[in-house]
Amino acid sequence: MSEFDSFTGALRRRVAERPGHVAVRFCAGGGDERLTYAKLDLAARAVAAAVRTRTAPADRVLLSCAPGTAFLKGFLGCLYAGRVPVPVPPPGSHAPQTQRTAGIARDTGAELLLTDMAEVLSGDGFGASTVLSVQEALRADPAAWTPPLPERQQLAFLQYTSGSTSEPKGVMVHHGALAHNLALMRDSHGWHGGMTWCSWLPAYHDMGLIAMMLAPLYLGGTAVLMPATDVLKRPVSWLRLIDRCGAEISCAPNFAYELCARLGDEQIAGLDLSRWRYACNGAEPVDARTLARFAERFRSAGLKPSALLPGYGLAEATLYVSGTPVHEEPAVFRVDPAALEQGRLAEAGTNTVEVAASGVVRGLDVRIVDPVRLTETAPGVVGEVWIRGQSVAQGYWRRPEETAQTFGGTTAGGDGGFLRTGDLGAFHDGKLVITGRLKEIIIMHGRNLYPHDLEREAQALDPAFDGLPATVFAVRPPGRTDEEIVVTQEVRGRGVPAEDLQALARRARTALARRLGVTVAGLVLLRVGRTRRTTSGKIQRNLMRDLFLRGELEAWHEELDPTLHVGSARPLRTPAATGGARS
């Protein structure tokens, strides 16, 4: 195949055009490490030379680095070498993350582990012979490197999904899809090389990698990075860095904006966000109330409402699918909740629920398709989001059946080649509105109930729940054909008398059932931090349901319907048996 304008080709042009321009800054602990395009390129060529001596073309290279510049040196080095990088989280203190990384290593058959933490990882089941430290790789001779000429359909990297509804799968992103998606973001938003990006998102997160690291390098801009842990501990540190570096672009999931919207006046005093023009919010779906709270909270800091840009994307489409045009305020529609439960977006004047649009689609063929009939729906009618275009990935690594099912969508009329996203949405007023996940929707008495809507209702039930996550899922009691709703809600229960927690759970369960007009079979009060999330912050509802059924949730109190038997390994736990805080 003929050569095309790949990401690495574009990056090499930036190196030639502006070698002394700062490509990457990493800010942590008062430090500010800076790499110019020339220095980053030199490092990437050295890593490429080292990687080539240890691997063959198209070999997979597991890439696990602590926050810093080592990841980009390793990732670019793999691309420069014509190898396939596989970003994974660094080993953490909790077992699920370590197990996830080890599982990815087995799934990829990675021939090499490239890391800046070799002394830690050498004992984690990878074997010392498979480990190469980034520092050692940087000692290789960059002059020994020769540039590869990647072809459009050649595999660029494996991006493992977050696993919010199933186990992680390796999305095969080819060079053509990466270049197309980066150009799509550039053209849709008007991004250019004179801009500064600022991000705390992990490098193994698709938004963090592609939108916040590769996009600025593709365009010749500057990426300013910081550790995610800093933001989770002190959310305002993200905004302070945006202010300090004058960043125009910073993207994050909805939950990060919600955290910041709750900051106090003293924390945000003196903050200047007037230069932040692209506050991209990517979630399924974006919470309209979060947009309003964030805009109001930082109005005094100079943030314009038009800077808030809801968008939609997924790893299977490389990243970006739709986004809100800059200079336009987010589109928020007031729709009839009863109509929404029947799968329609119908605007109404009273008794409404607000839904935020995820912008407009450009450069991709996006359809809304009835997931059962496989027919395209009318505007305003909810269906599954199907995508076709050059940004769509090749499929899942070593999963031919799932690749065929997900990437081979064909309508009833025979129109094929679509990615079936599993996301539900509709076009309304020319804009894409995401309403939920197909696998997570709860159908009760002919009503389509979306877990995220129910979770927001739960969080608003009592001041004790404010700012803490809820999870909603459905379970099927033994011997029953219908499902029941269970809600878990984090609460600060330390030092609270057992009878108060019992009363809180009972009161919240009754109030939620009254609000929803359906029976809530169980409400579980969890300790803070016990809600399971993916690496990108999405709630793992299916995992939470499994933990509930196995009786493995760490709860302060459970208020359960007597018919709700959970976990064959434990007896039915009624309020009388479970009342009180548990350590």
Side-chain angles (χ1 to χ4, degrees):
M1 297 178 67
S2 60
E3 183 184 355
F4 78 107
D5 190 16
S6 65
F7 165 76
T8 51
L11 175 57
R12 291 284 292 165
R13 285 200 306 276
R14 307 305 175 204
V15 173
E17 293 165 355
R18 49 194 335 188
H21 186 72
V22 175
V24 182
R25 291 173 56 187
F26 180 71
C27 302
D32 187 351
E33 180 186 359
R34 305 186 182 211
L35 289 176
T36 64
Y37 274 86
K39 289 182 178 179
L40 183 61
D41 176 70
L42 185 70
R45 286 188 283 124
V47 171
V51 167
R52 276 182 172 174
T53 63
R54 292 164 171 82
T55 56
D59 277 357
R60 278 76 57 207
V61 178
L62 211 64
L63 190 56
S64 180
C65 294
T69 62
F71 174 87
L72 267 176
K73 295 171 184 176
F75 187 88
L76 298 178
C78 289
L79 294 186
Y80 274 29
R83 306 316 189 242
V84 180
V86 186
V88 295
S93 57
H94 64 291
Q97 183 167 297
T98 301
Q99 292 167 359
R100 180 179 187 271
T101 299
I104 291 173
R106 290 190 299 269
D107 189 53
T108 60
E111 287 75 10
L112 184 68
L113 172 65
L114 186 59
T115 179
D116 60 349
M117 301 171 295
E119 72 282 0
V120 176
L121 289 172
S122 60
D124 280 354
F126 298 103
S129 62
T130 65
V131 176
L132 173 64
S133 83
V134 175
Q135 289 303 315
E136 180 183 350
L138 289 171
R139 291 195 286 269
D141 182 6
W145 173 77
T146 54
L149 298 176
E151 296 180 340
R152 190 180 300 275
Q153 295 302 316
Q154 182 180 332
L155 185 58
F157 63 95
L158 292 178
Q159 175 72 58
Y160 272 78
T161 59
S162 59
S164 58
T165 59
S166 62
E167 64 180 20
K169 297 180 286 288
V171 177
M172 298 187 292
V173 180
H174 54 289
H175 283 276
L178 176 59
H180 183 267
N181 208 247
L182 290 169
L184 198 58
M185 284 187 280
R186 176 198 64 199
D187 298 341
S188 296
H189 289 311
W191 290 352
H192 57 78
M195 293 177 165
T196 298
W197 284 247
C198 179
S199 178
W200 54 269
L201 295 173
Y204 49 84
H205 179 266
D206 52 1
M207 188 191 297
L209 173 62
I210 298 168
M212 302 308 298
M213 295 184 189
L214 301 189
L217 299 180
Y218 176 76
L219 296 172
T222 298
V224 181
L225 310 175
M226 66 182 298
T229 51
D230 287 4
V231 178
L232 296 177
K233 292 176 183 177
R234 295 184 64 250
V236 73
S237 63
W238 171 34
L239 308 180
R240 292 287 178 198
L241 186 57
I242 291 173
D243 179 0
R244 192 163 74 246
C245 69
E248 295 98 330
I249 305 164
S250 191
C251 308
N254 190 86
F255 81 89
Y257 291 94
E258 184 63 36
L259 284 176
C260 291
R262 298 175 182 276
L263 293 171
D265 291 342
E266 291 184 3
Q267 293 173 287
I268 67 172
L271 197 61
D272 180 5
L273 299 180
S274 60
R275 292 168 291 182
W276 190 10
R277 298 172 54 211
Y278 301 86
C280 302
N281 182 331
E284 305 91 35
V286 173
D287 190 341
R289 292 178 296 184
T290 298
L291 295 174
R293 283 193 287 263
F294 193 87
E296 181 58 32
R297 171 77 289 200
F298 296 102
R299 189 183 304 275
S300 62
L303 183 74
K304 299 177 179 62
S306 60
L308 295 172
L309 307 178
Y312 167 68
L314 68 166
E316 287 85 347
T318 301
L319 173 64
Y320 179 86
V321 175
S322 69
T324 301
V326 70
H327 305 311
E328 288 187 15
E329 292 193 18
V332 176
F333 304 115
R334 296 180 179 274
V335 302
D336 182 354
L340 182 59
E341 290 173 3
Q342 298 301 318
R344 294 182 294 109
L345 295 181
E347 292 197 64
T350 58
N351 188 30
T352 62
V353 61
E354 290 186 336
V355 295
S358 292
V360 297
V361 176
R362 299 186 184 92
L364 293 169
D365 182 3
V366 176
R367 314 276 183 92
I368 307 298
V369 178
D370 185 301
V372 178
R373 298 183 180 89
L374 303 183
T375 54
E376 193 170 352
T377 67
V381 177
V382 175
E384 185 182 9
V385 180
W386 288 25
I387 304 170
R388 183 169 60 183
Q390 294 181 48
S391 284
V392 175
Q394 292 172 326
Y396 295 125
W397 177 255
R398 290 178 174 172
R399 293 175 184 252
E401 292 184 4
E402 290 182 69
T403 294
Q405 293 169 1
T406 303
F407 291 83
T410 302
T411 67
D415 200 3
F418 284 93
L419 162 66
R420 299 190 60 168
T421 66
D423 291 317
L424 294 171
F427 279 110
H428 188 70
D429 194 24
K431 298 176 175 63
L432 180 62
V433 177
I434 302 300
T435 60
R437 288 285 297 165
L438 184 60
K439 291 181 179 179
E440 295 176 342
I441 194 170
I442 300 171
I443 302 176
M444 297 196 72
H445 312 302
R447 297 169 58 189
N448 294 335
L449 303 178
Y450 297 97
H452 58 271
D453 288 335
L454 277 59
E455 288 159 3
R456 291 167 192 163
E457 291 288 347
Q459 290 170 304
L461 289 174
D462 193 279
F465 302 158
D466 188 44
L468 296 173
T471 307
V472 173
F473 47 82
V475 298
R476 183 170 297 163
R480 296 265 295 274
T481 58
D482 56 334
E483 293 184 322
E484 297 282 5
I485 292 176
V486 175
V487 181
T488 73
Q489 171 67 58
E490 290 188 8
V491 65
R492 296 177 181 87
R494 188 173 298 278
V496 178
E499 57 271 19
D500 289 356
L501 289 172
Q502 184 177 15
L504 174 61
R506 185 171 298 158
R507 185 171 65 247
R509 179 187 171 196
T510 301
L512 185 59
R514 187 181 301 118
R515 284 196 188 190
L516 301 177
V518 296
T519 300
V520 176
L523 191 140
V524 182
L525 297 182
L526 296 182
R527 294 170 173 272
V528 174
R530 296 306 189 265
T531 299
R532 299 297 179 87
R533 296 180 181 269
T534 68
T535 56
S536 59
K538 298 176 185 177
I539 291 176
Q540 294 179 294
R541 298 186 181 95
N542 289 347
L543 175 57
M544 293 294 288
R545 179 185 59 202
D546 292 344
L547 292 173
F548 170 78
L549 292 173
R550 296 199 301 264
E552 296 177 5
L553 290 174
E554 297 182 61
W556 290 113
H557 178 79
E558 295 173 336
E559 183 74 19
L560 305 180
D561 189 281
T563 64
L564 197 62
H565 293 263
V566 292
S568 59
R570 66 175 184 172
L572 173 66
R573 305 177 71 170
T574 64
T578 61
R582 291 185 283 125
S583 58

